[in-house]
Amino acid sequence: MSKFQIITLAIFVVAIVAGVIGFATYKGSSTASQYPPITIWGTFPADTFNAYVANINNSLSNPLQVTYVEKSPDTFEHEFVNALATGHGPDAILISSDMILPNENKIMPIPYSALSERSFMDNYVQEADLYLGANGIWAVPLSIDPLVMYWNRDMFNAAGVSTYPRYWDEFANLNSKLTVRDQNSNIRASAVAMGTLANITNGRELLGSLILQTGNPVTMPDSTGAVVSALSSARGTPTQALDFYSQFADPTSNNYSWNRALPADKVAFLSGTLATYFGFASELADIRAKNPNLNFDVAPLPQVRSGGTASSYARMYGFSVVRASANQNAAYQAIAVMSSAAYLPSLAQVMYLPTVMNALDQNSADPYIENFDKAALISRGWLDAD
């Protein structure tokens, strides 16, 4: 190695050690004398985040000094890398869980001496376990948005079906009652949209949920701690999930109810020609706004009747400290406040979503939130390379 490379490596190591020491000696407090200014980049909505921070600051004698910059998920990684290369990167990032792995080498795990693994597991829903690494916590959860099932009550009632399906095997009977074909076998109304990806809004997440329900984690750490595919492992049967999913787009199947020539599933649901739509809890307001006359309800995602693992994919956002930041300890101070149990319930209430905290076992008076809470308790996900 050249002298320059040795010096550069030494500086990099010292920075990492200093960050670890800083985390390890900071325990988090909402009574800090003054919170240093930090910058956070993320794909989380800026208006919601800024309102949340403003609400927190109303209760603090010394307010958080956070500058938040919202980025598009499509361009985030490119902009993030370029900013780090020029020394103008953020101090922390707020991104969805499926963006953690591609940015793993750019974030600093929070050591368990600062936030213990036991405390983390006790405080957050099980999907947050994705953030637990060998050397620390990759991100601290802020919000969770589970996949649920929207169902058209008018279509169900007209077919003589009084309630929504709780298990996947019920769709065979529903198809015979709700899927309508014309004399040329063209689908005019459908019980369920599955089998394709191009015109299914959340097809990746839906297929992933089916795989998770077989007991397969999709990805998992190997003996070295590296994340690898679990789809070919002995855990669960992902081919069974794929076979079930694909049969609904197979014209030779008795369960044929969908194809690529049909409109996007959400469009079909809004127009009243699709009986069930698998969407995120956060889509409730959008569905209401786009068709105020649609008579629908929300239910948890159907499950495998027996022998499976209760699971529903959820989109989770969390804070990560940037490895290259000169303000790592300040970033963690702010994160500790913004992710505390004192404030997270208020964010969930504003977003009309379940809280990412593990206190979800009480029945809510709100019928939608009650189902969202149930979905959050069985929420799962996976670390995704791409």
Side-chain angles (χ1 to χ4, degrees):
M1 297 177 67
S2 68
K3 184 176 181 180
F4 175 77
Q5 289 175 313
I6 293 173
I7 294 173
T8 301
L9 180 61
I11 293 173
F12 183 71
V13 171
V14 169
I16 292 177
V17 172
V20 172
I21 292 173
F23 285 148
T25 56
Y26 179 76
K27 298 300 181 183
S29 171
S30 60
T31 58
S33 58
Q34 186 175 1
Y35 293 103
I38 63 165
T39 299
I40 299 176
W41 284 14
T43 57
F44 193 82
D47 54 349
T48 303
F49 179 83
N50 290 330
Y52 177 57
V53 173
N55 181 57
I56 293 175
N57 282 340
N58 288 334
S59 66
L60 298 178
S61 56
N62 298 294
L64 298 171
Q65 301 181 63
V66 178
T67 299
Y68 180 73
V69 181
E70 182 181 353
K71 299 289 185 180
S72 166
D74 296 331
T75 61
F76 177 86
E77 195 165 350
H78 176 73
E79 293 185 62
F80 187 33
V81 170
N82 286 344
L84 293 179
T86 59
H88 296 92
D91 301 299
I93 54 177
L94 175 54
I95 56 178
S96 58
S97 55
D98 58 359
M99 297 175 68
I100 288 291
L101 193 58
N103 293 288
E104 179 183 9
N105 62 341
K106 308 176 194 73
I107 57 180
M108 186 76 180
I110 299 168
Y112 291 119
S113 54
L115 178 57
S116 75
E117 185 173 0
R118 180 71 271 161
S119 177
F120 186 94
M121 294 174 67
D122 286 344
N123 281 307
Y124 299 107
V125 295
Q126 189 170 337
E127 184 174 348
D129 291 357
L130 287 173
Y131 293 148
L132 299 175
N135 301 312
I137 298 166
W138 290 113
V140 180
L142 178 71
S143 75
I144 190 164
D145 186 4
L147 194 69
V148 294
M149 182 178 68
Y150 295 88
W151 59 288
N152 185 312
R153 300 182 72 171
D154 285 340
M155 290 184 69
F156 272 70
N157 291 339
V161 182
S162 61
T163 188
Y164 61 88
R166 290 167 173 79
Y167 302 101
W168 292 114
D169 58 18
E170 295 178 58
F171 277 96
N173 182 50
L174 286 177
N175 246 335
S176 64
K177 296 181 177 180
L178 290 166
T179 298
V180 178
R181 302 181 184 87
D182 63 19
Q183 58 184 2
N184 297 318
S185 296
N186 296 312
I187 297 172
R188 297 305 181 190
S190 177
V192 60
M194 282 199 285
T196 66
L197 288 175
N199 58 348
I200 297 182
T201 308
N202 303 303
R204 166 188 175 273
E205 293 80 6
L206 176 57
L207 179 57
S209 294
L210 291 170
I211 294 173
L212 290 167
Q213 288 180 16
T214 69
N216 190 292
V218 183
T219 64
M220 60 190 298
D222 64 12
S223 58
T224 68
V227 177
V228 298
S229 172
L231 297 181
S232 60
S233 74
R235 295 186 61 182
T237 52
T239 53
Q240 180 183 354
L242 182 59
D243 288 344
F244 177 82
Y245 181 84
S246 61
Q247 68 176 314
F248 294 94
D250 180 1
T252 65
S253 169
N254 291 332
N255 283 328
Y256 176 56
S257 63
W258 196 250
N259 60 55
R260 288 181 293 178
L262 293 168
D265 59 343
K266 190 171 183 178
V267 172
F269 183 75
L270 288 168
S271 67
T273 59
L274 176 63
T276 55
Y277 168 68
F278 304 108
F280 286 98
S282 60
E283 295 182 57
L284 175 62
D286 183 61
I287 291 173
R288 280 174 165 170
K290 288 180 175 175
N291 188 350
N293 299 316
L294 188 66
N295 182 18
F296 71 93
D297 201 355
V298 183
L301 196 71
Q303 300 292 313
V304 176
R305 187 178 294 273
S306 61
T309 302
S311 304
S312 178
Y313 183 90
R315 184 182 292 133
M316 186 165 57
Y317 286 90
F319 292 105
S320 296
V321 177
V322 176
R323 187 181 293 274
S325 170
N327 304 307
Q328 291 180 355
N329 196 49
Y332 179 63
Q333 290 182 47
I335 288 171
V337 175
M338 291 184 290
S339 60
S340 71
Y343 302 113
L344 283 179
S346 68
L347 175 64
Q349 186 175 18
V350 168
M351 297 185 72
Y352 203 62
L353 290 174
T355 175
V356 76
M357 303 299 293
N358 213 7
L360 288 165
D361 56 352
Q362 300 298 318
N363 289 335
S364 171
D366 186 295
Y368 293 128
I369 290 295
E370 182 177 352
N371 277 336
F372 293 165
D373 283 352
K374 290 177 181 177
L377 280 174
I378 61 170
S379 66
R380 301 291 185 271
W382 62 89
L383 295 178
D384 193 351
D386 187 350

